[in-house]
Amino acid sequence: MSEIKKIAVLTSGGDAPGMNSAIRAVVFSAAQFGIEVVGVLRGYEGLIDWETVALDINKVRNINNRGGTILYTSRSERFLQQEYRRKAARNLREHEVDALIAIGGDGTLRGAIAFEEEGINTICIPGTIDRDVSCTEYTLGFDTAANTAMEAIDRIRDSSVSHGRCSVVEVMGRKRGYIALWAGMATSADAIVLPEKWDGNYDSITDAIGKRHADGRDSYLVVVAEGVTDAQQLAEMIREKTGVESRVSVLGYIQRGGQPTAKDRMYGSLMGAYAVEQLRGGKQNRIVAIKNDFLIDYSLEEALDIQNNLMDSFQYELSLRLSE
């Protein structure tokens, strides 16, 4: 492989705290070896339209504490079509870009795999608050999102206790329930509803709350991952079957924003620098991953085939014990 002289970096899909740390580390690491960095705006969409900005150390020096992504992001429907991937690849070649670093979740990974057909060398960095990229034990943004959800739920619980009601709180995590699990356990939830474990049995929740209510309890907390079940319907069933006033709070996009935690800043920095090292070492079409707290990498195809990021059974069983 020829020497890397110029790379592009983009963020794609949902924004995640820690993305800016990864961008910063890419630029700083590249600068140490005389590699030019081009920032692509709006993810794969910007790659198609060639919306870019030159990145140097001065432009990224103090972005570690910023949420979101300074490169903006989007979900590109056009990139699913080969003609637009070819256009994106042509843009990179015409501007003499040797490789691409793409930061994002499962959709970003799939886009990079499709991009291989166009001869573009892409290194992926997993950035998604849902922690739903199976080949890695950690994805950028999760820790910040879980902490944001925890802090919000703590405040909601204060109100529940004051009014003697049940709060049903919906958090993000359509396919993976880690935010719900961690935030729910951290706030002593009475029930946590996860996509990996939900069997549609509302009675297990309403019966438990009804029993505790009969024993003298007067405030409750249920944390629900979005898309698993209708939070409003669950709240109404709790009220109907137990007589406990129930309210729904949907945390929504507040979980994506805010200053990244130290963990997300650190992992973002490590992953960004590691991606540059992989390119300098001649690696092609890889994804950076964390295993046993060490940085490793997989081929993009191998990463997509790995399905070992299932809900940890001990964590789930512990959540049930702690909610009794």
Side-chain angles (χ1 to χ4, degrees):
M1 181 180 177
S2 60
E3 180 184 0
I4 298 293
K5 297 180 180 179
K6 187 176 182 179
I7 61 177
V9 58
L10 61 80
T11 50
S12 177
D15 60 295
M19 283 181 165
N20 284 330
S21 292
I23 295 167
R24 176 178 178 270
V26 166
V27 175
F28 268 70
S29 298
Q32 291 176 356
F33 303 106
I35 301 172
E36 183 182 349
V37 181
V38 175
V40 179
L41 305 179
R42 300 190 306 113
Y44 289 131
E45 280 288 288
L47 204 58
I48 294 169
D49 298 327
W50 198 244
E51 297 180 38
T52 65
V53 59
L55 294 178
D56 59 28
I57 287 176
N58 289 327
K59 288 186 178 178
V60 301
R61 189 180 300 279
N62 295 314
I63 64 172
N64 252 9
N65 66 334
R66 294 171 58 178
T69 163
I70 64 165
L71 295 178
Y72 311 113
T73 186
S74 67
R75 303 182 192 277
S76 179
E77 294 294 327
R78 290 192 296 168
F79 202 73
L80 299 175
Q81 303 174 46
Q82 188 177 47
E83 63 175 300
Y84 289 108
R85 292 196 297 273
R86 285 178 175 171
K87 183 179 179 182
R90 187 165 58 249
N91 284 337
L92 289 169
R93 293 191 185 97
E94 288 177 354
H95 291 87
E96 300 181 326
V97 176
D98 300 307
L100 172 69
I101 294 177
I103 308 168
D106 183 71
T108 303
L109 171 61
R110 293 175 185 276
I113 290 174
F115 215 25
E116 283 189 67
E117 297 178 4
E118 310 307 324
I120 300 300
N121 182 13
T122 304
I123 305 294
C124 287
I125 295 175
T128 165
I129 65 170
D130 291 337
R131 215 177 109 182
D132 60 354
V133 177
S134 295
C135 69
T136 181
E137 294 172 358
Y138 190 78
T139 60
L140 297 182
F142 170 73
D143 190 59
T144 304
N147 275 278
T148 299
M150 177 191 71
E151 292 167 3
I153 294 170
D154 278 340
R155 289 169 172 77
I156 292 168
R157 181 182 268 288
D158 288 344
S159 181
S160 293
V161 172
S162 298
H163 290 270
R165 65 168 63 121
C166 176
S167 287
V168 178
V169 183
E170 181 183 282
V171 301
M172 285 185 164
R174 191 170 297 276
K175 295 181 180 179
R176 296 290 187 190
Y178 277 107
I179 294 177
L181 179 66
W182 282 44
M185 288 180 66
T187 54
S188 304
D190 295 282
I192 305 172
V193 182
L194 309 173
E196 297 92 337
K197 301 295 182 179
W198 177 241
D199 60 2
N201 183 14
Y202 290 101
D203 290 341
S204 63
I205 299 173
T206 57
D207 289 351
I209 291 176
K211 181 179 183 301
R212 292 164 195 167
H213 191 57
D215 290 339
R217 285 272 303 278
D218 60 1
S219 66
Y220 310 91
L221 171 64
V222 178
V223 177
V224 183
E226 65 177 338
V228 181
T229 187
D230 187 292
Q232 187 62 51
Q233 180 182 357
L234 176 57
E236 291 174 359
M237 292 186 69
I238 291 171
R239 178 182 55 79
E240 291 173 1
K241 292 192 174 184
T242 67
V244 178
E245 179 187 2
S246 301
R247 301 286 181 86
V248 174
S249 296
V250 179
L251 299 189
Y253 286 101
I254 188 176
Q255 295 158 90
R256 290 198 182 278
Q259 293 184 320
T261 60
K263 185 171 185 176
D264 278 322
R265 298 184 199 192
M266 185 63 178
Y267 275 131
S269 299
L270 290 170
M271 288 178 168
Y274 191 83
V276 174
E277 289 296 326
Q278 298 313 294
L279 290 174
R280 291 188 63 246
K283 292 287 188 75
Q284 297 193 47
N285 301 307
R286 313 290 291 181
I287 183 170
V288 179
I290 300 290
K291 185 175 183 180
N292 298 325
D293 212 30
F294 286 95
L295 288 158
I296 60 171
D297 56 279
Y298 296 98
S299 71
L300 298 182
E301 288 81 3
E302 182 183 8
L304 193 63
D305 289 339
I306 294 174
Q307 298 295 328
N308 65 356
N309 193 23
L310 302 176
M311 177 64 64
D312 182 276
S313 59
F314 180 76
Q315 290 184 31
Y316 177 67
E317 292 299 327
L318 180 60
S319 74
L320 297 179
R321 276 184 258 160
L322 294 179
S323 64
E324 292 179 355

